[in-house]
Amino acid sequence: MRSCEVLIVGGGPAGSSAARHLKRAGADVLVLDREQFPRLKLCAGWITPEVVRELEMDLDAYPHRLLTFPRLKVHYGRLSFPVPCVQHSIRRFEFDAWLLERSGAPVEQHNVREIVADGDGFIVDGRYRCRYLVGAGGTRCPVYRTLFKEANPRAHELQIVTLEHEIEYRWEDPDCHLWFCDEGLPGYSWYVPKESGWLNVGIGGFAERIKSAGQDIKTHWAHFTDKLGAELTRGAHYDPTGYSYYLRGRVDVVRRDNAFITGDAAGLASRDLGEGIGPAIRSGLRAAAAILDGEPYQLEDVTGMSVASIARSMLTRAAHPFGPYGRRRAADGGAADGLRHGNQ
Ligand SMILES: Cc1cc2nc3c(=O)[nH]c(=O)nc-3n(C[C@H](O)[C@H](O)[C@H](O)COP(=O)(O)OP(=O)(O)OC[C@H]3O[C@@H](n4cnc5c(N)ncnc54)[C@H](O)[C@@H]3O)c2cc1C
């Protein structure tokens, strides 16, 4: 049996952030992930300045594709307006692998199935023994399922259904566009350019509300991509994949004995925009601090709304109207290799 002080289930942004913080403090930590990294992760790949700050990222030194937007283009019905604020795009398979490697923690590929309490610690699948257990396995996290599901049942009205595709495409418009409530979609659609000729397009909305309106996500997708094809993505072909996750609801219990729950496993994505990378990172860091310093594990400062972060970024942008903001490159500025999004 492999023993460690802290076992982290899941090597996404929540798990790798917790791992890095613990490892830097000298803790004996092990990350388990069912996938081999780099792994595919369905995501628009939009990150905020808060994410950059929390991760202590040097944008110029980031070794993969990163694009900076000095504004968002927002569309609502017939209204279209720019929101001057700084945001960035990355490709998730690169970003997550980079974060996990940077954590310095050992990683094993293992699909966690069974978690059993053992004194003040846990035994996982009869193979791993730990004192502390961090659940960072995303929506289907086995730590959530075993230890937290009863205390924090997921609210069906907060379930989001999505369709997206990241394609190799020589985009011409370098701005990030968001369309809210288009054709009655209870959510929004996005066009997110990536550096070096990649583009992510997708839609997401409340599953129950789409169903009760007698609609389905595929019809919304068809409408959206027809519209894009006429304006921004002429000649593009899509083969979208769907994924479902939960927005921030009541999360009453985030720690049970020496087990912690973080990121999507706890359902922390923001209520307004479904932004989950920032909350995952922050909750991972808070869980690590609680383990190291014995601080209470609280998620009060893990905001459930993205609009506050956008407003802060607007103020910073207004104070520094000419930047520098980060990286802004042409669509064709480099190699266009990478993993194709497939089923997940
Ligand atoms: C279509 C779509 C677009 C999105 N766009 C954005 C965006 O642009 N910006 C943003 O901030 N958020 C976005 N989100 C949300 C964001 O992707 C998530 O909130 C974020 O990835 C959560 O991070 P996490 O570390 O909690 O979980 P994850 O990133 O899901 O990582 C969990 C890890 O756990 C592993 N795992 C799962 N089960 C097991 C198991 N049994 N054993 C071992 N390992 C396991 C998985 O392989 C995975 O690597 C989007 C989500 C979707 C679906």
Side-chain angles (χ1 to χ4, degrees), residues 128-144:
Y128 303 93
R129 175 181 281 128
C130 61
R131 171 130 192 254
Y132 295 99
L133 182 66
V134 177
T139 307
R140 297 189 191 97
C141 181
V143 179
Y144 169 78

Side-chain angles (χ1 to χ4, degrees), residues 33-54:
D33 201 292
R34 67 179 176 199
E35 306 278 353
Q36 179 81 40
F37 279 60
R39 56 95 172 90
L40 293 167
K41 167 70 193 152
L42 294 187
C43 183
W46 152 53
I47 59 168
T48 63
E50 264 93 354
V51 164
V52 171
R53 203 166 40 247
E54 297 248 32

